[in-house]
Amino acid sequence: MKALTLKAPGGLNHISLSDMQDPGEPGPNQIRVAIGASSLNYHDLLVANGSIPTEDGRILMSDGAGTVEAVGEGVSEFKVGDSVVSCFFPQWQAGPACHNVWGFGNTPGDGIDGMAAQYVVRSANAFTLAPTGWSHAESATITTAGLTAWRALVSDGKVKPGDTILTLGTGGVSIAVIQIANMLGAKVIVTSSSDEKLKRAKALGATEGINYRTHAQWSEKVLELTHGKGVDHIIELGGPATLEQSIQSVRVGGHISLIGVLTGRQGEIPTALLMGKQARLQGLVVGNRCEQQDYVAALEANNIHPVIDKTLPFTDLAKAFEHQAKGSHFGKICVEW
């Protein structure tokens, strides 16, 4: 079979289309999946460009969606022909985060071989059913970006109708935030450096948009839009360079989900301001399998599909990463066989 592998120490020019041994038939409690598509995430980019070291020859990509080709003994949840989507933490089935999800040792495309392969054989618990009628590219957006947004708003944030959410940027997580907020009857303020992207975000259901180049102190605009109170929930994707303004923007007793580190991995936190706001700052990384199943059910019930910026062939994975690194995309970037 074909797979996209990374030669150590990484770099987009070290991604190769490789001939690999077919994984064969599934063993007990395993399934064999013909992978149809994957979607790109910032974590995948960091692995591919060498910022996160991984084993030489690692098969890339955490997200994978495809069709079940065979089921092993003891598997009752899936049958041949089912459309399925992978889990970011296959070892995390349910419940709160605990020590066994520290790091990425079991995450496809990082600690273990990923989904950029024509076929995989994995534990049945490493997949869930995909939404009925979705393409594999659409389903592949669920694993990381979609589930992160779902956990931030639903599992952790407990968003209620009428709540106001602030999300930074218009990538895959933020677009999923807008869609989930619409399901829940919440309002969304979105930031971007592009007025055109803000216009598109509003067309999807965002209530307000703030251009952070026009309004460098965008927290002031957030407070203006919320009559000085601040927002109930913030999806913080920037990290050190944006966190202070996020804390300025949250209401007293509000919730900040620290999801991304797009501006760096270290920085100062205005602890007195955070304490004074009595806000909850919670780091989170994706979610568990049960939360993914809940998210799939919600997507089906509300007939919502993801926004895909561009889909390229798997063989153009390096080009897809280059497009991602430019930051010009709106929604998800996918690759498919």
Side-chain angles (χ1 to χ4, degrees):
M1 70 169 185
K2 302 293 186 183
L4 277 298
T5 60
L6 183 70
K7 182 177 176 58
L12 301 187
N13 59 327
H14 287 164
I15 298 174
S16 299
L17 180 65
S18 303
D19 289 313
M20 309 287 289
Q21 184 175 353
D22 187 283
E25 293 302 305
N29 301 312
Q30 292 183 326
I31 59 175
R32 175 185 168 98
V33 179
I35 297 296
S38 183
S39 75
L40 279 64
N41 302 287
Y42 187 57
H43 181 90
D44 298 302
L45 176 61
L46 293 180
V47 174
N49 68 21
S51 297
I52 297 177
T54 191
E55 184 178 305
D56 185 47
R58 173 68 71 220
I59 298 175
L60 294 168
M61 308 305 288
S62 58
D63 298 2
T67 304
V68 176
E69 287 198 332
V71 299
E73 182 182 353
V75 175
S76 58
E77 186 174 354
F78 303 110
K79 65 182 184 301
V80 173
D82 281 344
S83 293
V84 294
V85 57
S86 65
C87 297
F88 188 89
F89 289 118
Q91 77 277 26
W92 187 12
Q93 296 297 294
C98 55
H99 184 71
N100 75 335
V101 294
W102 166 248
F104 304 104
N106 292 288
T107 296
D110 188 337
I112 62 175
D113 279 333
M115 298 291 159
Q118 290 180 307
Y119 309 100
V120 301
V121 172
R122 301 289 164 89
S123 166
N125 288 335
F127 286 86
T128 69
L129 289 170
T132 302
W134 279 31
S135 70
H136 293 318
E138 288 177 318
S139 298
T141 68
I142 290 171
T143 298
T144 303
L147 181 55
T148 296
W150 177 262
R151 178 184 164 195
L153 296 182
V154 178
S155 303
D156 295 342
K158 312 295 184 189
V159 168
K160 307 180 300 299
D163 281 357
T164 300
I165 300 157
L166 170 68
T167 191
L168 307 187
T170 54
V173 173
S174 288
I175 299 305
V177 164
I178 294 170
Q179 294 176 317
I180 294 167
N182 289 339
M183 294 183 202
L184 301 172
K187 297 173 285 187
V188 180
I189 301 171
V190 62
T191 68
S192 174
S193 62
S194 164
D195 287 336
E196 176 60 29
K197 287 184 178 181
L198 292 175
K199 182 179 178 180
R200 293 180 65 184
K202 288 183 180 180
L204 283 175
T207 310
E208 300 284 352
I210 301 173
N211 187 316
Y212 61 78
R213 296 201 187 281
T214 305
H215 299 89
Q217 294 299 311
W218 44 264
S219 57
E220 296 176 358
K221 187 65 176 178
V222 173
L223 293 174
E224 177 187 324
L225 292 171
T226 57
H227 309 289
K229 293 181 179 179
V231 296
D232 300 290
H233 307 269
I234 297 179
I235 308 303
E236 170 53 75
L237 291 143
T242 55
L243 184 55
E244 180 177 359
Q245 289 210 60
S246 285
I247 296 173
Q248 294 280 7
S249 300
V250 75
R251 69 165 170 83
V252 174
H255 184 107
I256 302 173
S257 295
L258 181 59
I259 290 170
V261 289
L262 296 177
T263 63
R265 300 188 186 187
Q266 295 183 354
E268 294 185 3
I269 297 176
T271 51
L273 177 61
L274 181 64
M275 182 179 67
K277 283 290 187 86
Q278 301 186 58
R280 182 182 179 190
L281 174 61
Q282 180 177 352
L284 67 91
V285 181
V286 196
N288 63 49
R289 184 172 187 262
C290 283
E291 288 169 328
Q292 182 163 308
Q293 290 172 317
D294 289 343
Y295 180 42
V296 169
L299 291 167
E300 288 186 321
N302 289 274
N303 194 28
I304 289 175
H305 288 249
V307 175
I308 295 178
D309 176 86
K310 183 177 289 188
T311 301
L312 289 81
F314 252 118
T315 50
D316 288 340
L317 181 58
K319 291 181 181 178
F321 278 128
E322 289 171 358
H323 179 57
Q324 179 189 20
K326 291 177 183 176
S328 61
H329 56 287
F330 183 90
K332 293 293 291 180
I333 303 166
C334 297
V335 287
E336 61 185 6
W337 289 111

